[in-house]
Amino acid sequence: METLKRDRSPFGDAVALLVCGVLAGILAAAAAFPLAGLFGMAAENSIQSFESLPTELTKPTLPQTSYVYASDGETLITSFYEENRREVALDEVSPLMVEALLAAEDSKFYEHNGVDWAGIIRAAVANQGGDSQGASTLTMQFVRNTLIYSASTIDEVIAASEDTYERKLREARFAMAIEESMSKEEILEGYLNVIYLGNQAYGVHAGAYSYFNKPPSELTLAEAATLASLPKFPSYADGLLDGEGDDSQIIERRNWILDRMASLGSISQSDADAAKEQPLGLNPRPVRSECVDVATANWGFFCDFFKEWWGSQEIFGETERDRISLLKRGGFKIVTSLDADLQNDATERLADEVDVDDPATLGSVTLTPGTGHVRAMAVNRVYSLDQTDNGPRTDGDDSKPSNYPNTTIPLLSGNERVAGYPAGSTFKMFTMLAGLEEGWPLETRIPSPGTYTSHYLTSADDPSSCGGTLEHNQKHWCPSNDGNWSASPMNMWGMFGRSSNTAFVQLQEMVGTSKAYDAAKRAGIDFYNNDVLDGHIENGTLDDYGVFTLGFDATTPMDMAEAYATVAAGGVHCNPLPVTQVIKANGEDWPEAAAPQCDQAFSEEVADAAVSAGRCVVGQSVDGTQCSGNGTAAAYTGGFDRPLFGKTGTSDSDRAYWFIGSTPNATTATFVGDTDATYRSGVATSGLKDSVKQVGVWILEKAVKDLEEEGWSKPSDEMINGKNLTGIPSIECMDADDARSRVANAGFDASIAPGRFDSDCKEGEAFATSPSGSAPSGAPVYILVSNGSDFEEEEPEGDETTGGPGGPGGDRD
């Protein structure tokens, strides 16, 4: 096809318009007066039309579909669109498609100047005689559709599509101007990308895939004629992609186009006859739209997170609405971080452990430390909008459906409406990080009694309270170790590996809850909808909030994976990131849109020390790590042959259970809880706790299978033994007030701990300090007083030596 050479002037166009106006008046007589008036107006205004061509016609911006892929860049997850469209160049379209459209819509396209005046006169006369004919050229159709798709208000849409002479005149003026500023090929390419082909397919690319699952360059003659029948009659295809509807009209229209192509010499009559014998041969590609129509149902949870993430990123627009509109109109190719194989394997394994019909939610999130890339978000649930057949709610609220097996709520990532699940002892990590930052080394030794009378106060009717009732009906909060086990002073390796509640509450008293909370925030915990915690912050009483380190507060597996990945990455915190690449519609990479958002939340030394303590949990006592006793997950990680650290966590009353495990290049947070009633007791049975640890380790093994093995640096001597520490005096079996004075005179903030504890000293005597050994000068040190339970009169008193770092610190052997 050659571009028609034109040698025209605005004056010549005006003359042509005037002549046609006169002809119209003669042919239509009085009944055609409006038409004559139309052309008179055209003659008067044609010159100005070339000076007022809208920019949306010269530089049209059409909404295009954005496609979202898994991490391989090839596996389609879903698409987002307002109009299913992808722009293509003219040379990407089969010549048969072009010839079919010209035969159907505008066989004189290469002959006219944008307006077929004879056709308009003929149609006008026929229409005023009762018939219905159109006379829009392909160029005029391009103008109309482009103005419609570029409209920003309903009034602009109406103005571009209403059936009036004024609109026809405007189209004619713009079409003539377009023909002056664009080549025939450019107009044709624009038209191919703007036409509507039914079933939400805009443009020939979407049409070719929607009906025949192939690119427009590979369309056969019969397929091209089928698509060419739809710009004028898109309703002919209604129901056909679903295997329903009547195909007789579209076949009749297709066959007419084939004969028309033959009569115009585009194809031979024999080719036309052969094509007419073929069935429609529809082979539609499923058009995946947003998260309820993902390629694999369990990917919906990741898709939800991706969409929410996109809507929160300022780079994509000023408001969330602007950002989502860009996603649906921008024509992006988005490569996500979703590892489809890991996601599928994890989902299958989780559902094998806990059936989808079980009220217990078993889920897992896997991130990449150092980038925040989200590789998997798996759960024993079905992603679906239809929750009508779900099981009964466990919280007794029958006003809304339960969340099993079908749900679309953010079970794994949380938001302002879904806070998550009680964190349990996983929050001890943040108290330890705060302690390490404050100068308390790994060798800090803290007693671990079976029950500890803390400085924190609670309601007198709290089962964890003890001692006498104080003002405002309060007592001291007295946490216990799981199973009420006790131990002599333990260093941080032992405290963390064995998950001592009583030792960590004392550590929290030493560093302050506010600093532990700050460490959690920096690591990545969001604390959704936490009225109690928010109240303490607003009132300035956060340091009075004792239960923080034991994880009474809710969190999500996404946040927990994010926080522990921060530790695994040498203290580098990265926001969870679901994309690795964003490519614009023009093929340009947009690296800023997919860049990891990271900051140094903790020093590398502090992170390495925390990792070292976490290795005791999983039974990896390596160089620089001094584990004691059995780690809480060690029995489940014996076959894991890479550097690993982690933490288990049981919330109070077994409301939830966690295992977070991490290598340097993969972090997995696995949990069990009840989404309907996140504070329901007894959810985490003994069997489900085993499942969490087994599945968590299994998923992590899958996640690192194809990754290079990496390790961590051993903690520095300063992180192990401390720097510029002062020895804490020995105080065993001495008057409590004298003991407090002795410790205070050594340069510490000494106070007597509330409560009485088992020891072999006389009742009322001080027998140990918390911590023991040594501590930073000025640090709080608590004097523990004996209840005399193990006192024997004949027992000799111990000496009063000063315990060095890691030494006995006055605690009787």
Side-chain angles (χ1 to χ4, degrees):
M1 295 178 291
E2 297 183 358
T3 303
L4 179 67
K5 296 182 179 179
R6 300 184 292 277
D7 185 13
R8 304 196 305 271
S9 68
F11 178 76
D13 287 321
V15 171
L17 287 166
L18 183 60
V19 169
C20 292
V22 173
L23 288 174
I26 295 172
L27 291 172
F33 173 77
L35 182 64
L38 172 72
F39 286 113
M41 293 167 60
E44 180 181 349
N45 297 305
S46 62
I47 294 177
Q48 289 89 339
S49 71
F50 298 109
E51 299 174 354
S52 59
L53 192 63
T55 56
E56 56 262 37
L57 291 176
T58 57
K59 297 179 180 179
T61 302
L62 303 177
Q64 298 189 64
T65 302
S66 292
Y67 294 96
V68 182
Y69 296 87
S71 59
D72 60 6
E74 298 178 357
T75 303
L76 180 66
I77 297 175
T78 192
S79 58
F80 290 84
Y81 60 84
E82 289 180 356
E83 298 170 357
N84 182 21
R85 184 200 312 276
R86 171 69 66 176
E87 292 192 51
V88 292
L90 186 59
D91 60 9
E92 296 178 84
V93 180
S94 166
L96 292 172
M97 183 72 243
V98 176
E99 295 291 350
L101 280 170
L102 292 178
E105 299 296 325
D106 190 356
S107 61
K108 297 181 179 180
F109 174 68
Y110 281 92
E111 301 172 16
H112 60 64
N113 66 346
V115 181
D116 181 3
W117 298 112
I120 286 179
I121 295 170
R122 183 171 56 253
V125 173
N127 292 346
Q128 295 183 68
D131 293 334
S132 179
Q133 292 186 16
S136 292
T137 64
L138 185 148
T139 308
M140 292 173 69
Q141 292 182 52
F142 168 65
V143 167
R144 183 187 318 135
N145 287 324
T146 302
L147 290 176
I148 291 173
Y149 299 140
S150 301
S152 58
T153 67
I154 189 62
D155 289 339
E156 291 177 359
V157 173
I158 293 173
S161 57
E162 61 184 347
D163 189 14
T164 64
Y165 288 117
E166 288 78 8
R167 192 264 293 171
K168 284 285 188 181
L169 171 61
R170 185 168 59 251
E171 277 182 16
R173 291 166 54 194
F174 287 160
M176 293 167 62
I178 284 287
E179 293 267 348
E180 286 295 320
S181 60
M182 297 173 65
S183 70
K184 287 288 187 179
E185 284 72 22
E186 290 172 332
I187 296 169
L188 185 57
E189 181 178 295
Y191 174 77
L192 288 167
N193 284 308
V194 81
I195 51 174
Y196 178 56
L197 297 173
N199 286 291
Q200 297 302 307
Y202 291 82
V204 69
H205 180 277
Y209 275 101
S210 293
Y211 292 99
F212 301 110
N213 198 16
K214 62 174 59 176
S217 60
E218 298 178 9
L219 292 169
T220 66
L221 176 58
E223 292 167 347
T226 299
L227 290 185
S229 69
L230 294 173
K232 189 169 290 186
F233 303 104
S235 63
Y236 283 0
D238 287 351
L240 295 181
L241 297 186
D242 298 324
E244 301 176 356
D246 182 4
D247 63 4
S248 60
Q249 289 180 302
I250 196 172
I251 289 177
E252 182 180 353
R253 174 75 173 165
R254 178 200 69 177
N255 292 347
W256 177 85
I257 292 172
L258 289 168
D259 286 335
R260 176 78 169 151
M261 293 174 71
S263 69
L264 293 171
S266 302
I267 59 173
S268 66
Q269 188 60 53
S270 61
D271 286 342
D273 293 340
K276 289 192 292 184
E277 294 298 320
Q278 297 181 24
L280 282 182
L282 299 179
N283 178 33
R285 179 177 74 174
V287 179
R288 309 215 172 275
S289 176
E290 302 198 17
C291 302
V292 296
D293 195 23
V294 292
T296 300
N298 72 75
W299 298 353
F301 298 105
F302 175 87
C303 177
D304 250 355
F305 176 72
F306 159 77
K307 183 179 179 182
E308 188 166 319
W309 170 85
W310 185 285
S312 70
Q313 301 303 299
E314 293 182 359
I315 194 172
F316 299 130
E318 184 175 346
T319 67
E320 180 179 2
R321 182 175 181 178
D322 293 338
R323 299 160 194 159
I324 297 301
S325 178
L326 178 66
L327 175 62
K328 293 182 177 182
R329 298 172 60 90
F332 299 105
K333 176 182 179 180
I334 301 163
V335 181
T336 72
S337 54
L338 178 69
D339 184 331
D341 290 338
L342 178 63
Q343 173 76 17
N344 293 339
D345 290 345
T347 300
E348 183 177 354
R349 177 63 192 272
L350 291 166
D352 286 343
E353 288 289 331
V354 179
D355 191 85
V356 297
D357 289 316
D358 194 310
T361 307
L362 182 65
S364 185
V365 170
T366 302
L367 300 183
T368 301
T371 65
H373 285 134
V374 182
R375 294 182 57 194
M377 295 177 66
V379 66
N380 65 327
R381 291 290 180 264
V382 178
Y383 188 88
S384 172
L385 286 174
D386 184 5
Q387 294 177 253
T388 56
D389 294 327
N390 281 6
R393 288 188 67 90
T394 55
D395 61 359
D397 183 359
D398 296 330
S399 65
K400 51 189 175 183
S402 69
N403 292 295
Y404 64 96
N406 299 334
T407 185
T408 58
I409 69 169
L411 297 169
L412 304 171
S413 55
N415 57 23
E416 295 301 327
R417 300 176 303 278
V418 181
Y421 314 86
S425 293
T426 58
F427 268 28
K428 290 172 181 172
M429 169 62 77
F430 311 124
T431 304
M432 181 169 64
L433 287 167
L436 291 166
E437 285 190 316
E438 288 298 300
W440 297 98
L442 289 166
E443 273 288 6
T444 298
R445 293 182 179 268
I446 300 175
S448 181
T451 299
Y452 173 67
T453 303
S454 74
H455 288 74
Y456 304 111
L457 303 179
T458 187
S459 170
D461 57 5
D462 185 338
S464 297
S465 66
C466 65
T469 302
L470 307 174
E471 293 182 4
H472 308 296
N473 195 37
Q474 290 185 313
K475 293 184 178 181
H476 285 281
W477 177 54
C478 304
S480 300
N481 289 329
D482 187 18
N484 209 39
W485 61 272
S486 61
S488 58
M490 305 170 69
N491 59 25
M492 287 195 193
W493 289 293
M495 290 164 50
F496 199 73
R498 297 185 64 185
S499 197
S500 171
N501 292 339
T502 57
F504 265 95
V505 168
Q506 292 172 75
L507 180 60
Q508 180 178 261
E509 289 178 328
M510 291 153 53
V511 300
T513 305
S514 56
K515 291 178 180 176
Y517 168 81
D518 177 65
K521 291 286 288 183
R522 282 185 283 143
I525 305 299
D526 283 324
F527 296 105
Y528 294 115
N529 302 324
N530 195 318
D531 294 337
V532 174
L533 196 58
D534 291 343
H536 278 291
I537 295 171
E538 292 173 5
N539 295 329
T541 58
L542 189 53
D543 283 329
D544 296 333
Y545 187 53
V547 299
F548 180 84
T549 195
L550 301 190
F552 278 52
D553 298 294
T555 189
T556 68
M558 179 68 77
D559 278 8
M560 291 311 303
E562 176 184 351
Y564 276 68
T566 298
V567 179
V572 176
H573 165 257
C574 299
N575 293 331
L577 179 63
V579 302
T580 60
Q581 189 177 28
V582 177
I583 301 171
K584 297 179 181 179
N586 61 5
E588 293 182 2
D589 191 23
W590 191 3
E592 297 85 1
Q597 300 174 16
C598 304
D599 62 275
Q600 190 75 45
F602 306 96
S603 72
E604 188 171 356
E605 280 193 332
V606 166
D608 285 341
V611 166
S612 181
R615 300 191 76 168
C616 292
V617 175
V618 297
Q620 292 191 352
S621 186
V622 296
D623 184 27
T625 298
Q626 303 172 28
C627 304
S628 60
N630 294 321
T632 56
Y636 299 84
T637 58
F640 200 95
D641 59 357
R642 295 187 179 213
L644 171 70
F645 85 96
K647 186 71 184 76
T648 58
T650 307
S651 70
D652 71 308
S653 302
D654 291 324
R655 294 168 178 172
Y657 186 78
W658 300 78
F659 171 70
I660 299 100
S662 185
T663 69
N665 46 17
T667 303
T668 295
T670 306
F671 81 103
V672 67
D674 184 343
T675 306
D676 284 351
T678 56
Y679 286 90
R680 178 167 66 90
S681 300
V683 176
T685 64
S686 176
L688 287 181
K689 291 178 183 178
D690 289 340
S691 293
V692 168
K693 286 177 280 198
Q694 291 168 355
V695 173
V697 173
W698 185 88
I699 292 174
L700 188 57
E701 286 178 328
K702 289 280 185 180
V704 301
K705 179 181 62 175
D706 297 323
L707 303 179
E708 292 187 9
E709 181 175 328
E710 299 178 16
W712 293 284
S713 300
K714 71 177 184 178
S716 66
D717 181 70
E718 182 177 325
M719 286 291 107
I720 293 175
N721 295 307
K723 181 180 180 181
N724 299 324
L725 300 182
T726 301
I728 300 173
S730 172
I731 60 165
E732 57 185 320
C733 296
M734 64 183 297
D735 179 80
D737 287 331
D738 291 344
R740 188 196 62 76
S741 296
R742 175 179 289 188
V743 174
N745 290 336
F748 298 101
D749 180 11
S751 61
I752 298 175
R756 297 291 186 267
F757 304 92
D758 294 345
S759 85
D760 53 9
C761 293
K762 291 180 180 179
E763 182 179 1
E765 289 184 335
F767 68 92
T769 60
S770 173
S772 61
S774 58
S777 180
V781 174
Y782 303 111
I783 312 301
L784 303 185
V785 178
S786 174
N787 60 14
S789 62
D790 299 326
F791 173 70
E792 294 182 9
E793 190 67 40
E794 66 275 16
E795 284 245 352
E797 293 183 349
D799 59 16
E800 295 185 356
T801 58
T802 298
D811 191 37
R812 177 177 289 277
D813 292 337

